[in-house]
Amino acid sequence: GGGEPLATREWALHRLDEALTLEVLARHAAVSPRTFSRRFVEDTGYTPMQWVMRARIDVARELLERSERSVEQIAADVGLGTGTNLRQHFQRILGTTPSEYRRTFAQGE
């Protein structure tokens, strides 16, 4: 073993728009959710669900920087469902809103 969490993170990054639960990730890694969770934290310092949320926010940031997609569209693309959801998590993790982030970024061009 050893490579499972990394391989599963790679796999998950291409499926952020799907429902990624601990069970889904553990099944991909072919280990129990408990084992997967423990290894994942050892590997990354995050629980699987914290990591998935951060990955979603990272992709949302890229889309805000590089695309003209609306906040609602981006939320759907990264698996957060609604713009409200995206705004809440964005604010909690980055301390700013998606539209403020996009504005700041556009000014830096």
Side-chain angles (χ1 to χ4, degrees):
E4 302 98 336
L6 180 60
T8 300
R9 290 202 301 279
E10 291 288 319
W11 175 84
L13 283 174
H14 297 288
R15 291 171 180 75
L16 291 173
D17 59 331
E18 296 173 22
L20 295 174
T21 61
L22 175 56
E23 285 68 27
V24 168
L25 296 169
R27 193 167 32 211
H28 177 265
V31 293
S32 76
R34 221 173 95 195
T35 300
F36 182 78
S37 210
R38 194 190 69 235
R39 286 188 197 164
F40 201 96
V41 172
E42 284 167 5
D43 227 39
T44 66
Y46 293 111
T47 69
M49 294 299 90
Q50 284 171 330
W51 180 86
V52 165
M53 181 55 69
R54 283 171 181 272
R56 287 177 162 153
I57 295 299
D58 275 347
V59 175
R61 268 175 36 198
E62 277 179 38
L63 290 170
L64 287 163
E65 291 168 15
R66 297 192 191 150
S67 75
E68 298 298 310
R69 299 174 83 79
S70 72
V71 170
E72 293 289 330
Q73 285 173 316
I74 290 174
D77 288 344
V78 301
L80 284 172
T82 66
T84 309
N85 237 346
L86 174 59
R87 278 187 282 272
Q88 276 175 352
H89 293 295
F90 208 90
Q91 179 89 51
R92 185 171 56 83
I93 290 173
L94 298 174
T96 184
T97 66
S99 42
E100 278 169 14
Y101 182 87
R102 181 173 256 167
R103 254 201 314 279
T104 314
F105 196 83
Q107 283 161 1
E109 295 284 279

